């Protein structure tokens, strides 16, 4: 039996170099099931502010790159912090660029919100789910989670130090893998 290969585009909703959300995605890649390969999207800060008037057949190069990466991905995992009780503007901006082009349509997606607060970024999580559902993304049941108190669950090296978080993340990745067609 041949090994099934799954290409996952990992998007952190934070622009910070040492973001706990980015480090959690990196930890997820290390926990991924066999055959699941992560590509990390690092262009969030390069996207122009969304403006429908410049969303043309020849998009800005950064927009074209994001759209192409999404097309090539078998699935997407988004890990976001919560800013001011919502999704960070840079992540929402990226999603706005995809509304009209449709790369999220029927794409298996996993959503994670990680926050130092005890609610785990639940408002950003809920907001992101609303946006992705409106975009007809296939948000995979059991492939999403919130991670409260993230700063005590990752060490300085970006390793998960909480067994329950590791187990939940493995379950999320297995659910995402199960939603990707052969």
């Amino acid at each position: 039996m041949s090994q099934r290969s799954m290409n996952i585009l990992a998007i952190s909703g934070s622009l910070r170099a040492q973001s706990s959300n980015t480090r959690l995605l990196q930890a997820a890649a290390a926990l991924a099931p066999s055959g699941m390969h992560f590509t990390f999207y690092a262009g969030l800060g390069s996207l122009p502010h969304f403006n429908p008037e410049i969303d043309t057949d020849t998009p800005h190069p950064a927009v074209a790159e994001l759209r192409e990466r999404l097309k090539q991905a078998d699935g997407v995992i988004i890990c976001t912090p919560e800013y001011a009780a919502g999704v960070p503007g840079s992540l929402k901006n990226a999603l706005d660029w995809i509304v009209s082009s449709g790369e999220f349509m029927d794409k298996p997606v996993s959503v994670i919100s990680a926050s130092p607060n005890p609610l785990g970024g639940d408002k950003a999580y809920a907001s992101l789910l609303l946006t992705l559902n409106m975009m007809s993304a296939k948000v995979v049941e059991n492939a999403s989670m919130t991670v409260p108190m993230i700063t005590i669950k990752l060490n300085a090296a970006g390793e998960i130090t909480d067994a329950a978080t590791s187990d939940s993340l493995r379950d999320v990745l297995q659910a995402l893998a199960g939603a990707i067609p052969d």
Side-chain angles (χ1 to χ4, degrees), residues 77-175:
I77 185 168
I78 301 172
C79 189
T80 187
E82 181 174 280
Y83 293 158
V87 174
S90 55
L91 178 57
K92 180 62 168 81
N93 184 57
L95 296 174
D96 287 346
W97 279 110
I98 305 305
V99 171
S100 66
S101 58
E103 286 81 12
F104 271 109
M105 190 170 277
D106 297 322
K107 181 80 64 179
V109 178
S110 171
V111 174
I112 301 172
S113 178
S115 173
N117 78 42
L119 298 177
D122 62 327
K123 291 167 191 63
Y125 177 84
S127 176
L128 187 53
L129 289 176
L130 283 172
T131 301
L132 290 168
N133 283 321
M134 186 284 310
M135 297 170 73
S136 299
K138 182 180 175 184
V139 179
V140 180
E141 188 174 346
N142 299 322
S144 297
M145 65 188 279
T146 59
V147 183
M149 312 300 284
I150 187 63
T151 51
I152 62 171
K153 295 179 179 179
L154 284 175
N155 65 21
E159 300 162 331
I160 301 171
T161 58
D162 177 65
T165 300
S166 290
D167 291 345
S168 294
L169 197 50
R170 279 189 191 92
D171 291 344
V172 161
L173 296 170
Q174 285 293 343

Side-chain angles (χ1 to χ4, degrees), residues 51-60 63 67 97 100:
N51 178 346
E53 292 178 356
I54 63 171
D55 190 8
T56 64
D57 291 338
T58 307
H60 184 280
V63 173
R67 289 175 175 171
W97 279 110
S100 66

